[in-house]
Amino acid sequence: MDWNGIPREELIRWDRTIYWHPFTQMAEYEPLIFVAAEGCELIDIDGNRYIDGVSSLWCNIHGHRHPRIDQAIREQLDRVAHVTALGCSNPTSIVLAKRLVEIAPSGLTRVFFSDNGATAVEVALKMAFQYWRQCRPPRPEKNLYVALEGAYHGDTLGAVSVGGVERFHAMFRPLLFPCIRLPAPDTYRTPAGVPADRLAEYHLGLLEQVLRERHQEIVAVVVEPLIQAAAGMIFHPPGYLRGVRELTQKYDVFLIADEVAVGMGRTGRMFACEHESVSPDFLCLAKGLTGGYLPLAATLTTDRVWEAFLGRYEESRTFFHGHTYTGNPLGAAAALATLAIFEEEQTLAKLPPKVQHLAERLAPLRDHPHVGDVRQRGLIAAVELVRDKTTKEPYPWGEKRGFRVCQVARRHGVWLRPLGNVIVIMPPLAISLQQIERIVEAIADGIDWATSDC
């Protein structure tokens, strides 16, 4: 099949030799070119259809080609496609800022727009750092961040500095600023001698020790609420997030909540922080904010932070940070439509049957001899493959076990992308019960094939 007069073979050749793909070993890349999409399905250049089992990298919410979002973007195009946010504004972005404040956890009253998840986190890191130098009295000794092992907050250097995925970040260590890193509160791989019902208490104890000793140096604690996504879908124990919030308040340290992956309804609530009634000092959003249509991110913060940046021009208290496409009207229009669909279609209210169905379909996989763990929160789920179920010994990274599972799923018409040995399931919230069944069936077949030599 040609595309706009360009032969299929030519597109494939260009894709292999010119287009450099992210997180992809180009020496081994086999082109998969999608030319269209409908609802929760992607359509490739040969006309094959695939259920979008990972929401096009965790960002699609209401399905592809949703008429409400399509129309909102078309209407915005008839007005203006882009104006800078430096010193001026546009109604669409103004209304989106107001709407985000209305639905966000209490106390988050100011909105700074950027382009993607990494920039949303970068904004929070820089804004928090600058705050402590401009608050009254200033506290310039605060210059350290606390983050978790295995954390992933994006690929800009600030976001990488607070990240903790060794395979992603080791190369850039000389460029990074120091960070205090604590063990991830992993509910699957737990510390020896720590029972499940004491796991949150154990990890909060480690955090409090650091804050007690070094809070005067610490700018902020950075966490992904409930789930560390790119770390391999590490799930935190109940009460951990609430405890982090209480400790950061106790020691006057900011809490930065990175909800780029877990926000926008993924966990069953609009924001993951809502599950434990937490209002952070900074809330970072992106991915699903526009329904997966256009690049747009937002960093929400408080009056306290905002006020430290106010002053006369010559005082240079301004937040000197910005992006060309900050607050882009097309992205804002898509985001407003996305939020409207949540209300009009009662998206969150319709999730429980889908969540339950996914849980029921995944349950039999727990008995597989090479499935170490099946974990789920809302419509985020993960199936972790292990060489030895008793010891939880992982398969070597180079064996590409998760990748093999996804190869089989692709033959079943399901598009998935693993995190090493972890099969990630994060479909659009618009997914149907039948499509959920097809996803799990494809994974089950893939696991049988990928572990058949063990």
Side-chain angles (χ1 to χ4, degrees):
M1 180 187 294
D2 293 351
W3 180 83
N4 281 3
I6 302 172
R8 173 186 182 278
E9 292 72 21
E10 196 78 333
L11 281 172
I12 289 173
R13 185 173 68 84
W14 294 346
D15 195 29
R16 278 200 179 108
T17 61
I18 299 174
Y19 185 0
W20 194 338
H21 293 258
F23 287 94
T24 301
Q25 177 44 256
M26 296 306 295
E28 300 177 351
Y29 171 62
E30 290 297 327
L32 174 60
I33 302 172
F34 293 121
V35 298
E38 294 175 354
C40 296
E41 291 187 338
L42 301 164
I43 305 166
D44 74 12
I45 197 167
D46 296 315
N48 300 309
R49 287 177 172 264
Y50 305 84
I51 297 172
D52 190 353
V54 288
S55 303
S56 294
L57 201 56
W58 314 344
C59 66
N60 190 277
I61 297 291
H62 301 302
H64 300 271
R65 297 299 313 278
H66 193 290
R68 184 78 158 77
I69 306 176
D70 288 1
Q71 184 62 27
I73 294 172
R74 291 191 186 101
E75 290 176 359
Q76 184 62 48
L77 276 171
D78 289 336
R79 301 185 189 102
V80 61
H82 179 63
V83 292
T84 180
L86 279 67
C88 61
S89 195
N90 73 89
T92 315
S93 300
I94 294 169
V95 173
L96 176 59
K98 177 65 163 59
R99 188 75 186 97
L100 288 174
V101 165
E102 289 172 351
I103 65 173
S106 63
L108 295 169
T109 57
R110 313 292 174 166
V111 181
F112 190 97
F113 290 117
S114 58
D115 302 341
N116 56 61
T119 61
V121 172
E122 196 87 10
V123 165
L125 296 174
K126 291 177 69 176
M127 203 176 273
F129 184 88
Q130 188 172 339
Y131 169 87
W132 292 115
R133 279 142 187 81
Q134 296 182 178
C135 62
R136 293 186 173 88
R139 300 181 64 182
E141 69 279 5
K142 281 183 172 282
N143 55 20
L144 288 173
Y145 296 85
V146 177
L148 298 177
E149 292 177 355
Y152 177 81
H153 298 290
D155 298 325
T156 57
L157 286 176
V160 170
S161 293
V162 295
V165 181
E166 181 68 13
R167 185 168 283 103
F168 297 168
H169 302 158
M171 177 66 69
F172 305 105
R173 187 165 288 112
L175 302 177
L176 309 180
F177 58 71
C179 176
I180 300 171
R181 201 166 305 284
L182 294 174
D186 187 343
T187 54
Y188 176 51
R189 287 186 166 82
T190 58
V194 179
D197 62 352
R198 301 291 296 276
L199 188 61
E201 179 185 349
Y202 170 82
H203 283 282
L204 290 170
L206 297 179
L207 174 60
E208 178 153 32
Q209 181 178 348
V210 168
L211 293 178
R212 185 188 307 116
E213 295 173 357
R214 306 190 67 178
H215 64 94
Q216 293 183 350
E217 305 169 71
I218 295 171
V219 173
V221 176
V222 188
V223 298
E224 293 173 88
L226 307 185
I227 303 169
Q228 289 176 240
M233 293 296 165
I234 292 175
F235 280 43
H236 295 173
Y240 177 75
L241 178 63
R242 178 72 247 168
V244 172
R245 172 72 288 195
E246 292 171 355
L247 289 174
T248 52
Q249 289 176 323
K250 177 179 178 180
Y251 289 99
D252 198 16
V253 167
F254 285 137
L255 173 60
I256 298 174
D258 174 1
E259 292 220 20
V260 170
V262 299
M264 305 307 297
R266 293 290 181 191
T267 64
R269 303 275 184 96
M270 184 63 80
F271 305 111
C273 283
E274 294 179 54
H275 287 279
E276 298 196 2
S277 302
V278 163
S279 293
D281 300 290
F282 297 88
L283 178 68
C284 304
L285 304 173
K287 288 194 182 290
L289 180 58
T290 67
Y293 270 63
L294 289 164
L296 183 71
T299 304
L300 281 68
T301 191
T302 63
D303 288 351
R304 175 190 180 186
V305 173
W306 162 277
E307 288 165 3
F309 289 78
L310 303 180
R312 297 187 307 276
Y313 179 86
E314 63 272 19
E315 293 181 279
S316 291
R317 299 174 70 84
T318 302
F319 185 47
F320 292 111
H321 180 104
H323 304 266
T324 301
Y325 288 93
T326 289
N328 173 258
L330 290 177
L336 282 171
T338 296
L339 295 177
I341 294 167
F342 269 103
E343 290 189 355
E344 293 165 4
E345 299 186 1
Q346 292 293 292
T347 303
L348 296 179
K350 292 177 180 177
L351 280 185
K354 300 179 184 183
V355 173
Q356 180 63 27
H357 192 62
L358 178 58
E360 291 171 355
R361 299 296 293 167
L362 287 173
L365 292 181
R366 297 179 188 277
D367 297 327
H368 193 284
H370 292 287
V371 170
D373 192 30
V374 176
R375 41 193 183 265
Q376 180 188 355
R377 190 70 180 256
L379 278 185
I380 299 176
V383 180
E384 183 163 348
L385 305 180
V386 292
R387 180 184 293 281
D388 188 301
K389 195 160 184 164
T390 302
T391 65
K392 303 181 183 178
E393 176 193 357
Y395 284 106
W397 176 271
E399 292 185 5
K400 299 170 70 172
R401 300 285 176 165
F403 178 77
R404 293 192 214 175
V405 173
C406 295
Q407 281 183 308
V408 173
R410 179 173 162 181
R411 294 198 288 268
H412 284 265
V414 175
W415 170 240
L416 298 167
R417 184 172 172 85
L419 290 166
N421 292 316
V422 177
I423 314 304
V424 177
I425 306 165
M426 198 187 293
L429 303 187
I431 197 81
S432 70
L433 298 182
Q434 182 183 30
Q435 288 170 325
I436 288 172
E437 287 192 18
R438 285 184 56 196
I439 291 171
V440 178
E441 287 170 2
I443 290 172
D445 285 352
I447 292 172
D448 285 342
W449 181 81
T451 63
S452 59
D453 60 340
C454 301

